[in-house]
């Protein structure tokens, strides 16, 4: 079992920045591929970014590429999402997810992840 706890959400003006954190506990953090998803009101949960075990490879959705950066610190069992140049359409609940067996083909699929955090609200005012 892995427990995930997100933090860092809040209210920010368009063009501003936020950094989300996701603290993991329970099992060896470095065994897991970590990802961020988000869900806006009335919409399905969507993939935002993913990072491999060592942090050597990162992947992003088209909508956030160039503005968001995912990173991880395995010594602190934490994954981060640095969000810059925020837009109103980035408003959503952001979720951290973890899984041991994600591949490049499956990393964008919600159903592929075994562990989820409770989410943190990000609101971008226009």
């Amino acid at each position: 079992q892995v427990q995930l706890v997100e933090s860092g959400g809040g209210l920010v003006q368009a063009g501003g920045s936020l950094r989300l954190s996701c603290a993991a506990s329970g099992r060896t953090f470095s065994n897991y591929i970590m990802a961020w998803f988000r869900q806006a009101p009335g919409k399905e949960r969507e993939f935002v970014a993913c990072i491999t075990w060592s942090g050597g490879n990162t992947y992003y959705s088209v909508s956030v590429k160039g503005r968001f950066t995912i990173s991880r610190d395995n010594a602190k069992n934490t994954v981060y999402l640095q969000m810059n140049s925020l837009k109103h359409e980035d408003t959503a609940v952001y979720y951290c997810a973890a899984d041991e067996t994600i591949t490049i083909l499956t990393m964008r699929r919600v159903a592929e992840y075994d562990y989820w955090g409770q989410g943190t609200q990000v609101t971008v005012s226009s």
Side-chain angles (χ1 to χ4, degrees):
Q1 288 288 340
V2 173
Q3 292 78 42
L4 304 173
V5 179
E6 302 97 334
S7 61
L11 174 64
V12 63
Q13 288 188 333
S17 298
L18 279 176
R19 189 176 83 154
L20 305 182
S21 299
C22 173
S25 61
R27 296 186 69 175
T28 306
F29 180 69
S30 58
N31 287 350
Y32 290 83
I33 289 176
M34 303 297 297
W36 287 95
F37 285 74
R38 66 186 183 186
Q39 188 166 17
K43 295 188 177 181
E44 294 185 351
R45 193 169 298 188
E46 65 173 3
F47 173 82
V48 173
C50 178
I51 187 166
T52 53
W53 301 276
S54 65
N57 290 292
T58 57
Y59 305 89
Y60 298 93
S61 68
V62 171
S63 61
V64 308
K65 191 174 179 64
R67 299 188 297 123
F68 290 11
T69 302
I70 188 171
S71 61
R72 67 190 294 163
D73 185 337
N74 286 344
K76 295 182 178 180
N77 290 354
T78 301
V79 63
Y80 304 98
L81 185 68
Q82 178 66 44
M83 305 186 295
N84 298 329
S85 301
L86 282 161
K87 304 175 181 180
H88 178 67
E89 51 264 42
D90 294 318
T91 296
V93 178
Y94 283 72
Y95 296 92
C96 176
D99 198 88
E100 290 183 288
T101 61
I102 292 295
T103 69
I104 292 177
L105 294 178
T106 64
M107 63 181 176
R108 289 175 171 80
R109 301 175 188 170
V110 171
E112 296 294 328
Y113 290 82
D114 287 337
Y115 303 104
W116 292 87
Q118 82 290 349
T120 186
Q121 176 71 46
V122 172
T123 303
V124 184
S125 62
S126 56

